[in-house]
Amino acid sequence: MQKLWGGRFSKQTDAITEDFTASIQFDYRLASYDIQGSIAHTSMLCKCGILTDEEESLIVEGLNSINQDIQANNFPFDPQLEDVHMNIEHALIQRIGEVGKKLHTARSRNDQISLDMRLYLREEVRQIIDLLKSFQSSILLMAEKNMEIIMPGHTHLQHAEPVLFSHHIMAYFWMLERDMQRFVDCLKRINILPLGACALAGTSLPIDREYTANLLDFSGVTENSIDTVSDRDYIIEFLSAASVCMMHLSRLSEELILWSTHEYCWVDIDEAFCTGSSIMPQKKNPDICELTRGKTGRVYGNLFSLLTLMKSLPLSYNRDMQEDKEPLFDTVDTLKQCLHIYSRLITSLKINAERMRLSINNDSSWATEMANYLVRKGIPFREAHHISGRIVAANRDIAEFTLEELKQFSELFENDIFEVIKPEYGINQKNSAGGTSLKQVKKQIEQAYRKRIE
Ligand code: ARG
């Protein structure tokens, strides 16, 4: 087959070279964006007098018909044509003849691929932001539904202080809120037109990049043609944001896995989101959580692939950069899948309030409130900490202490201490902004709703 770039070649490409260099097996996913970009490029060429009106409509018509066939799964992508750009351009020339050869005027695949990737990623990031929003809504509902449930809060995975379950789960809302802001921020740098950088140096033809940017709804045009075809920062930024987001999902997964163990029994993951064992009849495994935790490693790997891919590349375009696609596509697919399934899993999650509350009995998570009680009576915190610590060291259930016994540790204890060491009391006393009191949790939920409307 005559290659579109075949002019200076007298030999046929070896089949093994075609196979090795082809990217159509994965970059076919960019086809509709490639066509969208080509249509805008054609209109710009016409507006600038480089194409006639008639040539423009022939090319646009041809591209639309190719798009229809692609959407109908009726377009034969050919690895001999290397990539998505040349598959489409070749089909265009076949369909409309000579005039099709004018499409690639004032354009190179180097700026074209960046355009396709930006159009693709812009759309995907918008979808990811929507998925994050629905996931946040599931978390909000879960918090409201289980507003007053008390659980032991942990540090070092040891009982620390009692907290409201709604407070704990809302922590994930804010993690996802930051994720969303990161994606919104990424969009700013994705949404800039690279087309017109051409191979690396721009073009001597009289093009109008601003015009193309407007047609494609970009917020501006890139400033330096060499940077433009060298740059994959917008992909790396996306992969970083995706990695942080997956890290959050992975931490949630880890907690749900732990909480659904026989030992904890704090949550019940709906059967629709679990799988069984081929040998142990009793098993109901939290596979979605485990797979999400596992896929997080894979997304980190994709980020590292790209960072490593780019680290030693001289400016400007190098073919190495073709290797950016599979890690990007894989990350987009993985993240979207995880966010989607997690919204549903969280919506159907059942909380075992009794078991959560029971696990506080007999522990010493009253100790900080006891120290604060003594502080309110005028004892310096360090000393109060010590007194409370000595009571912990007695290693007895606090409910069994009499006031006389407590007074042996400090004369300042009065009967009201028995109220103070109740988890409910401690929780509602924690009324500092962002604290775990019911009042503060309600306030953060209101704040969260306000964010949703913004
Ligand atoms: N398939 C290439 C890529 O993904 C498109 C750009 C090719 N440019 C070139 N000069 N060979 O990066």
Side-chain angles (χ1 to χ4, degrees):
M1 182 189 296
Q2 171 70 39
K3 304 285 185 201
L4 289 172
W5 39 253
R8 61 96 70 215
F9 287 79
S10 48
K11 265 190 174 177
Q12 282 291 315
T13 320
D14 195 314
I16 199 170
T17 305
E18 285 180 337
D19 204 42
F20 191 78
T21 55
S23 54
I24 192 64
Q25 325 78 275
F26 45 85
D27 69 15
Y28 72 90
R29 287 174 58 144
L30 300 170
S32 62
Y33 301 105
D34 195 75
I35 290 174
Q36 186 190 358
S38 288
I39 290 176
H41 181 65
T42 305
S43 305
M44 182 278 290
L45 291 177
C46 176
K47 180 246 165 198
C48 295
I50 300 169
L51 292 178
T52 65
D53 288 349
E54 198 191 336
E55 287 168 335
E56 180 200 14
S57 29
L58 277 171
I59 293 175
V60 170
E61 223 172 274
L63 287 168
N64 280 329
S65 84
I66 293 169
N67 204 18
Q68 269 166 19
D69 290 353
I70 293 173
Q71 298 315 317
N73 253 331
N74 191 22
F75 185 86
F77 287 110
D78 181 356
Q80 280 198 318
L81 289 162
E82 213 174 299
D83 57 24
V84 64
H85 321 301
M86 289 197 292
N87 266 272
I88 291 169
E89 195 183 327
H90 184 262
L92 182 72
I93 296 165
Q94 275 190 327
R95 288 182 194 200
I96 67 169
E98 283 300 297
V99 62
K101 295 183 180 170
K102 295 195 170 186
L103 169 64
H104 208 55
T105 309
R107 185 176 79 172
S108 150
R109 280 183 295 158
N110 299 351
D111 55 348
Q112 189 179 356
I113 186 60
S114 183
L115 173 65
D116 292 8
M117 295 286 267
R118 285 169 187 268
L119 288 171
Y120 159 80
L121 198 50
R122 179 172 79 178
E123 170 60 26
E124 295 293 356
V125 170
R126 284 174 182 161
Q127 285 183 26
I128 286 168
I129 290 171
D130 286 344
L131 284 167
L132 277 167
K133 284 184 183 165
S134 26
F135 187 20
Q136 282 183 309
S137 301
S138 317
I139 288 177
L140 265 173
L141 285 179
M142 153 123 314
E144 287 179 307
K145 225 169 52 191
N146 301 287
M147 196 70 149
E148 301 193 29
I149 293 179
I150 292 177
M151 65 181 268
H154 293 92
T155 60
H156 312 266
L157 209 54
Q158 306 281 330
H159 281 202
E161 292 181 89
V163 294
L164 290 180
F165 170 77
S166 47
H167 188 52
H168 186 100
I169 201 72
M170 278 301 287
Y172 287 98
F173 178 94
W174 299 108
M175 290 146 89
L176 295 167
E177 183 64 25
R178 293 193 295 275
D179 288 328
M180 209 172 65
Q181 286 167 12
R182 266 184 283 273
F183 287 118
V184 168
D185 198 60
C186 264
L187 267 181
K188 290 186 207 151
R189 284 169 296 279
I190 292 170
N191 199 28
I192 298 174
L193 180 85
L195 209 65
C198 301
L200 80 163
T203 176
S204 52
L205 295 163
I207 61 169
D208 182 347
R209 298 184 65 208
E210 295 287 348
Y211 186 81
T212 319
N214 267 330
L215 289 180
L216 291 171
D217 224 6
F218 280 105
S219 65
V221 304
T222 54
E223 300 288 349
N224 178 315
S225 62
I226 295 177
D227 177 41
T228 304
V229 294
S230 311
D231 173 28
R232 293 295 179 268
D233 293 3
Y234 59 97
I235 296 178
I236 293 174
E237 280 186 42
F238 167 78
L239 294 177
S240 315
S243 295
V244 177
C245 184
M246 285 299 295
M247 180 262 284
H248 293 153
L249 295 184
S250 187
R251 292 182 79 171
L252 177 59
S253 301
E254 175 69 15
E255 296 209 306
L256 293 180
I257 292 165
L258 200 62
W259 294 353
S260 59
T261 56
H262 185 72
E263 288 72 16
Y264 272 79
C265 227
W266 283 5
V267 296
D268 185 29
I269 303 175
D270 196 271
E271 283 186 10
F273 299 105
C274 291
T275 63
S277 155
S278 58
I279 175 169
M280 297 166 283
Q282 85 285 9
K283 290 302 287 279
K284 187 187 123 195
N285 294 326
D287 297 39
I288 290 179
C289 308
E290 295 171 287
L291 279 167
T292 302
R293 192 174 58 182
K295 286 171 191 290
T296 302
R298 172 169 161 170
V299 168
Y300 291 1
N302 290 338
L303 169 64
F304 272 81
S305 285
L306 261 280
L307 286 169
T308 314
L309 174 70
M310 298 305 293
K311 75 181 263 293
S312 302
L313 293 187
L315 307 186
S316 60
Y317 179 81
N318 300 272
R319 190 62 180 269
D320 316 43
M321 287 153 82
Q322 181 167 294
E323 292 289 315
D324 61 357
K325 281 165 207 65
E326 289 158 294
L328 174 63
F329 295 158
D330 182 65
T331 301
V332 167
D333 294 345
T334 304
L335 181 60
K336 282 171 75 179
Q337 212 185 9
C338 291
L339 287 172
H340 181 63
I341 201 158
Y342 246 104
S343 298
R344 298 193 48 202
L345 185 148
I346 288 290
T347 305
S348 62
L349 191 72
K350 287 197 191 61
I351 312 302
N352 190 337
E354 215 175 306
R355 281 292 295 249
M356 279 189 182
R357 183 67 178 75
L358 262 177
S359 52
I360 300 179
N361 286 355
N362 249 327
D363 77 359
S364 307
S365 59
W366 40 263
T368 311
E369 272 321 307
M370 180 179 274
N372 287 345
Y373 171 90
L374 294 172
V375 166
R376 283 192 290 271
K377 304 234 166 186
I379 297 193
F381 181 74
R382 273 291 148 245
E383 205 175 311
H385 184 287
H386 206 76
I387 295 168
S388 178
R390 276 195 283 126
I391 297 173
V392 171
N395 214 4
R396 286 173 55 192
D397 186 349
I398 190 68
E400 289 171 2
F401 276 89
T402 63
L403 183 59
E404 282 59 46
E405 285 173 320
L406 287 180
K407 276 187 182 294
Q408 286 167 17
F409 293 90
S410 166
E411 267 306 312
L412 293 171
F413 282 123
E414 299 295 342
N415 249 324
D416 56 352
I417 184 60
F418 294 108
E419 196 53 33
V420 166
I421 55 174
K422 286 185 182 154
E424 292 76 4
Y425 179 91
I427 285 175
N428 279 322
Q429 287 299 105
K430 294 200 170 61
N431 207 17
S432 50
T436 199
S437 70
L438 188 58
K439 197 167 150 206
Q440 288 300 326
V441 174
K442 282 186 172 160
K443 215 163 149 186
Q444 75 167 285
I445 288 178
E446 270 167 38
Q447 190 61 23
Y449 272 111
R450 223 165 291 139
K451 283 264 172 221
R452 287 286 53 82
I453 301 161
E454 269 169 22

